[in-house]
Amino acid sequence: MTEPLKPGQTIGILGGGQLGRMLAMAAGRLGFHVHIFEPGAAPAGEMAARLTNASYDDVAALEA
């Protein structure tokens, strides 16, 4: 069994559309940081602590 995330930890989200934005807002209210990974325009990026704009098949960007 895995340990639950603690406030202050980072949640990574693939996709920065409206659903990603809503998830990022909720996570922020719970004390989490959010990193959005999105190849295009990312409305969720406004709510995130970090945003990566790269293709989903960009392995180097995903690993970083």
Side-chain angles (χ1 to χ4, degrees), residues 17-63:
Q18 186 61 33
L19 291 176
R21 182 182 171 96
M22 291 187 298
L23 176 57
M25 289 173 64
R29 283 192 289 265
L30 294 172
F32 296 102
H33 302 288
V34 175
H35 183 165
I36 301 291
F37 192 99
E38 168 66 42
E46 298 172 9
M47 303 290 126
R50 188 162 175 215
L51 170 65
T52 298
N53 283 113
S55 175
Y56 291 127
D57 61 1
D58 184 341
V59 176
L62 283 165
E63 288 176 346

